[in-house]
Amino acid sequence: MQLLSYSFSASNTGEAPQNSVYIADTLPAETLFLSANAQGNGLPLLYSTDNGLTWNTQAPSSLPNGTLLVGVDSNNDGQVNTNDALAAGQSFTVQII
């Protein structure tokens, strides 16, 4: 068995804030999820394992449907929606193991 680790990032390279920003990733076939870690230089980030129906501040320990969403919660309301913005020049990265 080999360990597969990969990461992906979201960046706002424009001049205006972008709303409802999240990254969605589906695990590759024949892989086992161990952990996820998201970093965003102080950005409030949330995790969802049910396609955005619910959001959590804690990284998941499993992916029941094989998909992980990580999004920006800039207004700290526990949701990722049009009220949340990724400001110009901001970015965040998610690492999956």
Side-chain angles (χ1 to χ4, degrees):
M1 179 160 109
Q2 288 185 306
L3 181 64
L4 171 67
S5 176
Y6 61 98
S7 61
F8 41 92
S9 299
S11 299
N12 182 355
T13 59
E15 296 179 12
Q18 298 298 308
N19 297 75
S20 302
V21 176
Y22 65 89
I23 294 174
D25 183 63
T26 300
L27 287 181
E30 306 297 323
T31 60
L32 176 66
F33 174 81
L34 295 178
S35 67
N37 180 34
Q39 298 178 0
N41 296 325
L43 281 174
L45 299 173
L46 298 177
Y47 301 86
S48 177
T49 59
D50 59 7
N51 294 315
L53 295 175
T54 59
W55 294 91
N56 199 316
T57 57
Q58 296 294 319
S61 59
S62 66
L63 298 182
N65 67 5
T67 300
L68 174 66
L69 277 64
V70 179
V72 176
D73 181 26
S74 63
N75 66 356
N76 293 305
D77 69 351
Q79 298 292 314
V80 175
N81 53 41
T82 57
N83 297 320
D84 297 300
L86 183 65
Q90 286 186 317
S91 64
F92 65 97
T93 300
V94 179
Q95 181 180 28
I96 304 285
I97 299 174

